[in-house]
Amino acid sequence: MTNVKTKKPTRILIVNKYFYNIGGIESVVRDLATILDENLEIKILVLDKKAGVEKVGSSIVWKIKTQCVLFRMPFSFVYPFVFLREVQKADIVHFHSPFPLAEWTFVVFNWFFRYKAKVIVTYHSAVVRQKIFKRIHNWFLQRLFQHSSYVVVTSEPMAQNYPGLARVKAKIKVIPSGVQEPDVAGWKRDYNHFTHCLFVGRLVPYKGIDYLFQALSGTDIPLTIVGSGEMETYLRHRAQELGVEDRLSWKGSLKELSTAYKEASVFVLPS
């Protein structure tokens, strides 16, 4: 009788700040959780309000409880140790950047341990607002890039224009973020009848919603806002200052967006 060795599945560790209902990066990670090959062993390590483990698609989502927020980054004292243990088990570690806690932890532990895992970094955006923190983070990020096999960006302009990628051009792969194809059967568009504009996204500074409000002032165009975030109180006050609050419809975060897109005449992306 011949002994046949079963090949072990490739173990992939996906690393991101969050998993649920935050923004575009989380949508990308959730899509990966549901569409990757079932023959892969996938674990997604994130922070959350509550600790827990659950299965999503073929992936295991491990949520570590957030203990505080530092520089707008979720933080946990437990996270670095759980992270180190999981990295040592993985064949591939896929970072979704920016996530300074994970990136810094990886670089610091790499001084003492040698990881066997291959590293991929999907670089979604830069740290923008905190100038001193940004410089420190960029130093760690460059060392993570050096350790990486590939650095993925979602557009060619990003690959060409972000200064931090200049040293790793040979590693760059441009892979646009995909979306689940919506069911648009039965959608009908009446271009002769305008209803309202639609904004979908987190209510944070770099989304440019303040500029959108300024553009709306002096018009009678209604706007529906889908999303939540740290700037909501400020934006409501700003809308009153600009005299556009009576034309705004605040929907908060929605799990299902197809109806919002279907009912709108124009989608606006001011970022």
Side-chain angles (χ1 to χ4, degrees):
M1 186 172 180
T2 304
N3 291 325
V4 179
K5 290 185 177 180
T6 304
K7 185 180 179 180
K8 291 183 179 180
T10 301
R11 293 168 295 186
I12 301 176
L13 178 66
I14 299 176
V15 180
N16 191 41
K17 286 183 285 189
Y18 304 109
F19 188 75
Y20 287 112
N21 301 332
I22 301 294
I25 300 176
E26 287 67 38
S27 297
V28 171
V29 173
R30 285 197 300 274
D31 285 345
L32 289 174
T34 56
I35 67 175
L36 286 175
D37 194 323
E38 292 184 358
N39 294 320
L40 301 172
E41 186 178 305
I42 304 163
K43 186 172 289 185
I44 302 174
L45 188 62
V46 297
L47 289 164
D48 204 296
K49 293 180 180 179
K50 294 183 179 180
V53 178
E54 63 179 285
K55 187 167 185 178
V56 177
S58 58
S59 305
I60 300 297
V61 180
W62 190 343
K63 297 177 289 185
I64 298 175
K65 184 177 180 180
T66 301
Q67 294 173 310
C68 61
V69 177
L70 300 174
F71 298 102
R72 301 179 64 208
M73 175 189 71
F75 183 83
S76 166
F77 291 101
V78 176
Y79 183 93
F81 303 101
V82 177
F83 174 87
L84 175 62
R85 183 180 64 194
E86 295 305 315
V87 168
Q88 291 176 321
K89 295 178 183 178
D91 298 307
I92 299 172
V93 181
H94 184 186
F95 288 87
H96 287 266
S97 180
F99 183 14
L101 177 59
E103 294 153 6
W104 294 20
T105 299
F106 184 92
V107 172
V108 170
F109 279 145
N110 191 47
W111 294 336
F112 305 99
F113 306 94
R114 289 299 169 186
Y115 307 116
K116 66 175 184 179
K118 299 291 185 182
V119 175
I120 300 171
V121 180
T122 295
Y123 185 71
H124 293 275
S125 65
V127 172
V128 178
R129 298 185 71 189
Q130 301 94 342
K131 293 182 179 180
I132 297 177
F133 183 82
K134 177 181 177 180
R135 290 182 180 180
I136 298 172
H137 177 247
N138 284 345
W139 186 90
F140 279 93
L141 192 60
Q142 288 301 319
R143 274 122 196 100
L144 178 62
F145 286 167
Q146 291 170 11
H147 194 90
S148 303
S149 298
Y150 298 103
V151 177
V152 178
V153 294
T154 55
S155 70
E156 191 63 42
M158 190 173 186
Q160 296 296 328
N161 297 323
Y162 177 63
L165 298 175
R167 298 177 183 176
V168 291
K169 282 191 174 182
K171 298 182 177 184
I172 294 176
K173 300 291 182 182
V174 179
I175 305 177
S177 296
V179 295
Q180 297 285 355
E181 186 175 353
D183 181 6
V184 296
W187 283 32
K188 293 183 179 180
R189 184 72 67 201
D190 183 0
Y191 292 100
N192 295 317
H193 176 65
F194 181 86
T195 58
H196 61 275
C197 291
L198 172 69
F199 167 85
V200 178
R202 294 172 59 205
L203 306 185
V204 292
Y206 58 82
K207 292 295 184 181
I209 311 166
D210 197 343
Y211 298 110
L212 177 56
F213 287 179
Q214 294 177 46
L216 286 178
S217 63
T219 75
D220 59 356
I221 298 174
L223 173 68
T224 296
I225 301 171
V226 176
S228 59
E230 64 194 56
M231 287 188 68
E232 182 170 346
T233 301
Y234 164 80
L235 289 171
R236 287 180 179 272
H237 178 70
R238 183 64 172 149
Q240 291 179 350
E241 289 181 342
L242 294 169
V244 299
E245 74 278 3
D246 60 330
R247 288 182 277 119
L248 302 183
S249 177
W250 303 80
K251 298 296 185 180
S253 296
L254 299 178
K255 290 184 178 180
E256 199 280 318
L257 296 172
S258 61
T259 300
Y261 284 117
K262 181 179 178 181
E263 294 177 347
S265 297
V266 177
F267 172 68
V268 186
L269 186 66
S271 59

